[in-house]
Amino acid sequence: MRNINLSVVFLFFMGLSCLQAQEKIPQVEELLAKMTLEEKIGQLNLLTPGGGVATGSVVSEDVEAKIKAGDVGGVFGVSSPEKVRQAQELAVKNSRLGIPLLIGSDVIHGYRTTFPIPLGTSASWDLELIKKSAQIAAKEATADGINWNFSPMVDISRDPRWGRFAEGAGEDPFLGSAIAKAMVEGYQGEDLTQPHTMMATVKHMALYGAPEAGRDYNHVDMSRLKMFNEYLPPYKAAVDAGVGSVMTSFNDVDGVPASGNKWLLTDLLRERWGFGGFVVSDYTSVNEMIKHGMGDLQDVSALAINAGLDMDMVGEGFLTTLKKSVEEGKVSEEQITKAARRILEAKYKLGLLEDPYRYSDEKRPSKDILTKEHRAFARKLATRSFVLLKKHNSILPLDKTSKIALIGPLANNQTNMLGTWAPTGDYKLSIPVLEGFKNVAPDAKITYAKGANISDDTIFAKKVNVFGSRIEISKESSEELLQDALKVAKAADVIVAVVGEASEMSGEAASRTDIRIPESQKKLIRELVATKKPVVLVLMSGRPLNISEEMELPVSILQVWHPGIEAGNAIADVIFGEHNPSGKLTATWPRNVGQIPIYYSARNTGRPAPEDHFDKFKSHYLDSPNTPLFPFGYGLSYTDFEYSDVKADKESFKPGEEITFTATITNTGNFDGSEVVQLYIHDKVRSITPPKKQLAGFKKIALKKGESKQVSFTLTADDLKFYNGQLEYVYEPGEFEFFIGGSSDNKMTGSFKLTE
Ligand code: BGC
């Protein structure tokens, strides 16, 4: 064990106390001074008049009357400048104090111009593109009246059974933090009063991505060490980037549901991290604490406000019980004033107190929404998100004059292109793969057949189809679909099969215990392979899948997630070589569900299994290797990259100094391409068991064929920090190892020391 550097700890806490000091805003204080207790409570109430997807059991009633009565602080599910103006007028002209509303929305991966699902965009590892996607989303959403967004979702997940894997940036806290920052900066810009920016909400605080058994909304039980080192960093990164609001999660943390957890919302978020914005509950998550076993509506509402929750989404527990709790001495008026102040400060920061109609410009939608540039960007971003999982016989990219059988239930489909949680998008505007192929390769001879249903299981399909028909079960029998496809396949030179998950097979409340491609499509794939024609699988999914069986087949595999509005064009761009795929996985893909949770940064056991032989009393399975199907950071290219000359510029360095790692990367194949160069480190000895490796830097570079580039990463002692057993953020001097490579699956190649 090594000594903790105390001066670093001291500076860290000093920094925090400076962050916490916040000045009061005179305009807000004047308003507060005029407000009755009821009016303050009204500001804490967030309603939805419907129109969106109601994910909870309650939809708000009498919203108009409540706004006029001053009982509403914000609404969501209302859009268009006209409707937002009407809503603001209800508040401004009819309520006693005329306080404007926050207008919220779930703008998760683009507004009307839908981008790939967030798990997909994360696979681009391109922070500039990700930030720009958030800027475009903000421009479109604000043109439609939205000023407050319920994104980014930054929940780390290592359990692909969990459907909301699709909405986050994968398994890694370092990459997840970088993406959280880029998203917040993209949405909020430099100045929230600018009409093209909107307030962001980091969600779901906290640990929502680690539910027991991968089942959505389930309990979470996690050590503080794991929380601090592996799950909390992206939320903190968003807070450090100045995120305006934080949304709580449905799960409990240390036995107390997040929406009523004082340690989480006050001690950690406000006091330790210095968060100065407001905290909103998730959809009826305050009420849901009744079922969690925390008391009746009055109890749970009091618990929430006392814990530091400021705004109650839809459930109206605050509205209906807080006054009584104040009268009974269960909640102080001061606590309610604090929460109301935070909501009013948000309105001030958005410029709403100055001009309530700032986001109600009727001229903007036609100018700012779904522009040609936005669609072109969506296409580009989608191509950057695709991950080439397997190359077989150099069949890709396809020649633009090929005779192609385009087969599969997702090959000529619109309803599944946008992916989960795209309520502001319109699938009818999306480009199916067949159309994209024709656009990009007009001289190719393309024939199409559906080949199979996404799933033949009607009960499963019914559950997936709750919000629209994602799994369409054809009138033809499965055998007829198959025979039709085989006829088409046999007449072609190459088969492209577009298969995988319907969009709503992932997302909220869409957990699966079997993460394979459904059997109907697996059978189709096997039969297509049996034709002996070259087969390319274009795979769509909202999570890492178990494709162990498909990996054994002689096929090439391109993972395209759910690519968004430009799906077909983007897929065609990559299949026909307009763009060489450069995405890398941001989460480990397991060989089977039994390996879950599986992630690259796991700690060593005291009995690590040897790689090359079976040794009885070691940490392994009897029926599966420990290794994943694909490691974190993995992704191929049409070309090949070679790493050489990997080194550090010194053998040891001290706090206050820098150390630089370099590698030369050469494009040795036949195509120009881009590579995500990754630096990993390993702390060899420390006071708590270290991860086997941890991402410490990444850079995406473009290389022409034959070209070499040197890439370097510079770290300081601060980059080697972690939370120790006392939850202090420290580095510990000692020996470290490192490597630079194209995925996490590499051996350490060098070492260095951090000295006192
Ligand atoms: C989801 C949130 C979302 C909210 C409002 C909830 O069910 O968990 O992520 O922001 O609904 O739509």
Side-chain angles (χ1 to χ4, degrees):
M1 178 149 120
R2 288 163 285 186
N3 293 330
I4 301 153
N5 185 312
L6 284 173
S7 62
V8 169
V9 178
F10 175 73
L11 284 175
F12 171 70
F13 284 109
M14 284 292 291
L16 282 185
S17 52
C18 297
L19 256 181
Q20 281 165 33
Q22 290 201 359
E23 279 181 23
K24 291 203 172 137
I25 297 163
Q27 214 177 332
V28 167
E29 298 309 312
E30 277 162 33
L31 261 181
L32 279 172
K34 289 187 212 151
M35 289 168 90
T36 61
L37 175 62
E38 287 87 340
E39 282 166 333
K40 288 178 195 165
I41 294 171
Q43 287 301 307
L44 316 186
N45 192 26
L46 173 64
L47 296 183
T48 180
V53 177
T55 55
S57 48
V58 188
V59 178
S60 317
E61 284 171 5
D62 304 327
V63 178
E64 198 173 316
K66 284 175 186 152
I67 294 176
K68 288 184 185 167
D71 281 345
V72 182
V75 291
F76 66 107
V78 176
S79 57
S80 87
E82 298 78 14
K83 285 194 193 147
V84 167
R85 181 177 288 276
Q86 280 164 19
Q88 293 294 24
E89 276 175 358
L90 286 176
V92 173
K93 297 192 176 156
N94 295 280
S95 68
R96 189 180 79 91
L97 291 171
I99 301 172
L101 301 164
L102 291 172
I103 308 286
S105 182
D106 284 280
V107 184
I108 308 298
H109 45 115
Y111 184 66
R112 293 278 285 168
T113 305
T114 310
F115 303 125
I117 55 168
L119 183 61
T121 47
S122 73
S124 73
W125 294 62
D126 190 326
L127 299 176
E128 278 309 306
L129 284 188
I130 291 172
K131 183 170 171 181
K132 183 147 186 221
S133 75
Q135 278 164 346
I136 291 177
K139 188 168 179 188
E140 293 200 353
T142 53
D144 225 9
I146 313 295
N147 51 43
W148 175 36
N149 190 16
F150 305 154
S151 168
M153 179 186 116
V154 305
D155 304 314
I156 294 290
S157 184
R158 290 151 180 202
D159 192 332
R161 291 172 299 183
W162 189 54
R164 297 193 84 169
F165 215 116
E167 279 180 63
E171 74 180 42
D172 185 60
F174 182 85
L175 177 63
S177 297
I179 291 178
K181 178 172 185 282
M183 298 282 288
V184 171
E185 289 175 353
Y187 289 137
Q188 297 197 156
E190 302 271 297
D191 172 5
L192 274 175
T193 62
Q194 291 303 308
H196 292 156
T197 61
M198 59 185 170
M199 185 168 281
T201 307
V202 66
K203 69 189 191 185
H204 305 82
M205 177 94 183
L207 320 180
Y208 182 41
E212 280 183 4
R215 181 159 45 79
D216 207 2
Y217 316 129
N218 205 3
H219 294 281
V220 175
D221 210 337
M222 189 184 287
S223 73
R224 290 271 165 105
L225 272 181
K226 201 172 184 72
M227 281 184 210
F228 274 74
N229 284 306
E230 302 172 39
Y231 280 75
L232 295 177
Y235 309 110
K236 180 167 187 302
V239 168
D240 291 345
V243 74
S245 63
V246 170
M247 188 186 291
T248 56
S249 54
F250 289 116
N251 56 280
D252 55 352
V253 173
D254 287 336
V256 181
S259 301
N261 192 314
K262 184 161 183 297
W263 172 77
L264 191 68
L265 304 185
T266 299
D267 302 0
L268 180 70
L269 181 62
R270 295 195 183 282
E271 286 167 14
R272 185 157 179 170
W273 292 357
F275 175 62
F278 73 96
V279 182
V280 61
S281 78
D282 203 345
Y283 205 110
T284 60
S285 67
V286 172
N287 312 54
E288 289 168 26
M289 289 197 280
I290 301 171
K291 292 222 171 101
H292 275 283
M294 309 302 290
D296 63 18
L297 188 60
Q298 186 184 351
D299 296 331
V300 296
S301 303
L303 184 70
I305 190 96
N306 286 332
L309 187 89
D310 303 308
M311 197 172 219
D312 177 9
M313 190 192 290
V314 180
E316 299 192 31
F318 278 11
L319 190 73
T320 54
T321 70
L322 282 186
K323 188 170 175 226
K324 187 161 178 248
S325 290
V326 171
E327 284 159 6
E328 291 172 1
K330 292 176 179 153
V331 171
S332 68
E333 181 157 358
E334 178 50 25
Q335 191 69 26
I336 289 171
T337 306
K338 265 200 238 167
R341 175 180 290 118
R342 290 173 190 142
I343 307 296
L344 295 176
E345 283 174 350
K347 294 180 178 182
Y348 170 84
K349 285 182 209 156
L350 285 164
L352 288 170
L353 297 187
E354 194 185 289
D355 175 10
Y357 308 109
R358 190 178 285 276
Y359 299 91
S360 309
D361 177 354
E362 280 81 359
K363 284 187 236 90
R364 278 191 60 194
S366 60
K367 247 183 7 210
D368 288 347
I369 296 180
L370 277 171
T371 64
K372 247 203 210 145
E373 293 74 35
H374 293 180
R375 286 197 76 133
F377 177 80
R379 180 169 177 169
K380 176 175 173 182
L381 180 57
T383 60
R384 271 53 176 185
S385 74
F386 301 163
V387 183
L388 185 60
L389 295 176
K390 187 178 175 202
K391 295 201 267 192
H392 183 73
N393 282 351
S394 309
I395 187 80
L396 287 173
L398 296 185
D399 189 277
K400 283 189 184 165
T401 57
S402 316
K403 213 167 159 196
I404 302 166
L406 184 63
I407 290 174
L410 292 161
N412 189 22
N413 172 283
Q414 279 190 309
T415 52
N416 292 294
M417 295 304 104
L418 300 188
T420 187
W421 235 170
T424 53
D426 179 356
Y427 74 81
K428 293 193 206 80
L429 301 174
S430 67
I431 310 288
V433 182
L434 178 59
E435 189 181 324
F437 270 40
K438 289 182 178 161
N439 291 342
V440 173
D443 296 330
K445 283 164 223 61
I446 304 166
T447 43
Y448 159 77
K450 181 173 174 186
N453 295 312
I454 291 178
S455 166
D456 284 337
D457 180 340
T458 49
I459 297 173
F460 178 75
K462 207 168 152 196
K463 292 180 189 166
V464 170
N465 289 346
V466 170
F467 291 122
S469 178
R470 314 297 180 164
I471 301 183
E472 259 178 78
I473 302 200
S474 295
K475 287 189 202 72
E476 296 92 340
S477 70
S478 320
E479 193 50 33
E480 282 165 339
L481 288 174
L482 178 65
Q483 290 311 325
D484 191 24
L486 289 177
K487 216 163 92 197
V488 167
K490 280 176 191 155
D493 295 335
V494 56
I495 300 165
V496 177
V498 191
V499 293
E501 289 190 310
S503 60
E504 298 315 310
M505 281 166 67
S506 63
E508 186 166 352
S511 295
R512 297 177 67 200
T513 59
D514 181 351
I515 55 168
R516 288 178 298 179
I517 300 169
E519 181 50 34
S520 55
Q521 298 182 72
K522 286 172 75 66
K523 180 167 180 211
L524 171 67
I525 295 166
R526 287 192 298 268
E527 298 277 349
L528 292 175
V529 168
T531 64
K532 301 265 192 299
K533 303 269 176 179
V535 176
V536 178
L537 298 185
V538 172
L539 188 56
M540 293 191 185
S541 73
R543 53 159 61 80
L545 293 176
N546 164 8
I547 54 163
S548 294
E549 285 149 347
E550 287 69 31
M551 277 301 284
E552 297 296 315
L553 301 173
V555 294
S556 300
I557 307 178
L558 179 71
Q559 169 66 20
V560 299
W561 318 107
H562 291 114
I565 191 164
E566 287 289 326
N569 287 334
I571 291 170
D573 285 343
V574 171
I575 292 288
F576 293 106
E578 292 289 321
H579 177 74
N580 185 352
S582 57
K584 301 266 187 178
L585 299 177
T586 56
T588 307
W589 283 40
R591 291 175 190 275
N592 52 62
V593 278
Q595 290 183 315
I596 296 171
I598 182 166
Y599 50 98
Y600 83 94
S601 58
R603 286 166 282 158
N604 236 337
T605 68
R607 294 186 177 192
E611 276 176 23
D612 51 350
H613 66 280
F614 180 79
D615 192 354
K616 173 70 184 163
F617 292 105
K618 293 293 188 298
S619 181
H620 53 222
Y621 301 102
L622 293 177
D623 56 356
S624 166
N626 288 358
T627 53
L629 194 60
F630 303 115
F632 173 83
Y634 170 88
L636 304 172
S637 162
Y638 295 154
T639 192
D640 296 302
F641 298 105
E642 235 176 61
Y643 284 71
S644 59
D645 213 11
V646 180
K647 55 179 192 274
D649 68 344
K650 37 180 90 93
E651 281 171 14
S652 74
F653 79 117
K654 287 201 284 267
E657 292 178 356
E658 291 180 338
I659 183 165
T660 298
F661 305 92
T662 50
T664 301
I665 296 94
T666 306
N667 180 343
T668 56
N670 286 323
F671 297 85
D672 299 345
S674 295
E675 168 73 337
V676 180
V677 181
Q678 303 158 45
L679 167 72
Y680 291 85
I681 54 170
H682 171 223
D683 192 347
K684 284 185 77 177
V685 178
R686 70 182 200 188
S687 56
I688 59 164
T689 48
K692 279 184 261 187
K693 48 187 98 160
Q694 266 179 299
L695 184 68
F698 60 91
K699 279 186 186 158
K700 193 164 186 173
I701 55 162
L703 287 172
K704 300 248 175 261
K705 55 181 167 180
E707 193 186 1
S708 291
K709 271 186 191 159
Q710 200 186 51
V711 170
S712 62
F713 299 93
T714 297
L715 303 190
T716 67
D718 283 351
D719 297 308
L720 303 176
K721 281 182 175 175
F722 64 98
Y723 291 91
N724 68 10
Q726 289 69 49
L727 300 181
E728 296 150 335
Y729 195 49
V730 296
Y731 47 75
E732 291 177 359
E735 198 179 343
F736 295 77
E737 294 177 314
F738 71 95
F739 74 81
I740 296 175
S743 99
S744 63
D745 186 23
N746 273 287
K747 298 242 178 309
M748 297 288 161
T749 49
S751 64
F752 64 95
K753 277 194 184 119
L754 174 67
T755 57
E756 303 269 0

